[in-house]
Amino acid sequence: MDVNKLLFRVHNDVRGNLVAIEEEKDIPFQIKRIYYIYNVMEGAVRGLHAHKSLKQLLICIHGNCKVLLDDGKEKITVELDNPNLGLYISNAIWREMSDFSSDAVLLVLASEHYDENDYIRDYKEFLQFVKESEDK
Ligand code: T46
């Protein structure tokens, strides 16, 4: 599965911590968009889609949450509970974010501008997309 957990260097001194992320160096794409998710209601599940081309990096910079990842063959769940832990997600991966702590802030770095046409929101369509990509 084309996903990767990345541990970023923490610059720690008596004043506190700093984490820096550089495009195409610390993560394998250029950053065209940043968004963040917070104040997620208890029990809410977000995502429930895949992307045709978008690549992203997720970091829970405060609190914690879980991300279920599915490439059409296997499913794994990753817990994001550390501000220096990044989760790289390539395209064609179904994702579901859940179990947000009330203080969770999920920061996302994205390889493309927002484009609703890049979303696959139907699971059967997603499996078809995976199959067609493999057949090419
Ligand atoms: C993803 C996961 C991790 C925008 O207008 N611009 C944006 O850049 C984004 C990301 C969203 N929106 C609007 C579209 C919806 O009206 O914000 C609303 C909520 O978006 P959505 O329901 O897609 O949010 P999530 O949390 O289900 O999914 C988001 C990303 O959309 C998605 O790409 O991989 O976070």
Side-chain angles (χ1 to χ4, degrees):
M1 189 180 303
D2 199 1
V3 301
N4 207 358
K5 280 163 84 171
L6 303 171
L7 262 192
F8 300 113
R9 179 179 168 201
V10 181
H11 300 267
N12 165 259
D13 60 36
V14 288
R15 300 166 299 168
N17 294 346
L18 184 154
V19 174
I21 299 170
E22 297 192 12
E23 60 182 10
E24 291 182 320
K25 199 169 153 194
D26 301 301
I27 58 170
F29 58 83
Q30 285 189 335
I31 301 161
K32 287 207 180 148
R33 179 166 50 111
I34 295 172
Y35 59 91
Y36 42 95
I37 295 167
Y38 62 102
N39 268 353
V40 177
M41 263 174 46
E42 198 185 340
V45 179
R46 303 190 62 111
L48 294 154
H49 62 254
H51 283 282
K52 293 174 192 164
S53 1
L54 187 72
K55 297 170 173 55
Q56 301 196 102
L57 184 93
L58 277 58
I59 309 167
C60 201
I61 53 172
H62 197 261
N64 55 79
C65 68
K66 286 183 182 158
V67 187
L68 179 141
L69 302 157
D70 175 353
D71 65 358
K73 293 185 186 65
E74 61 165 329
K75 296 179 197 215
I76 58 167
T77 299
V78 174
E79 179 155 21
L80 296 180
D81 56 0
N82 190 322
N84 75 325
L85 171 64
L87 175 62
Y88 169 73
I89 309 178
S90 191
N91 64 312
I93 306 278
W94 187 267
R95 80 285 318 266
E96 301 179 10
M97 299 94 76
S98 66
D99 297 271
F100 285 82
S101 59
S102 57
D103 59 350
V105 181
L106 182 63
L107 176 71
V108 183
L109 312 182
S111 66
E112 304 297 337
H113 296 140
Y114 179 69
D115 177 9
E116 183 56 38
N117 293 322
D118 192 64
Y119 284 72
I120 308 171
R121 295 191 182 276
D122 180 83
Y123 189 71
K124 278 189 188 156
E125 216 178 283
F126 161 66
L127 293 178
Q128 188 61 30
F129 180 84
V130 170
K131 192 172 172 299
E132 282 168 14
S133 309
E134 282 172 354
D135 292 346
K136 275 181 193 163

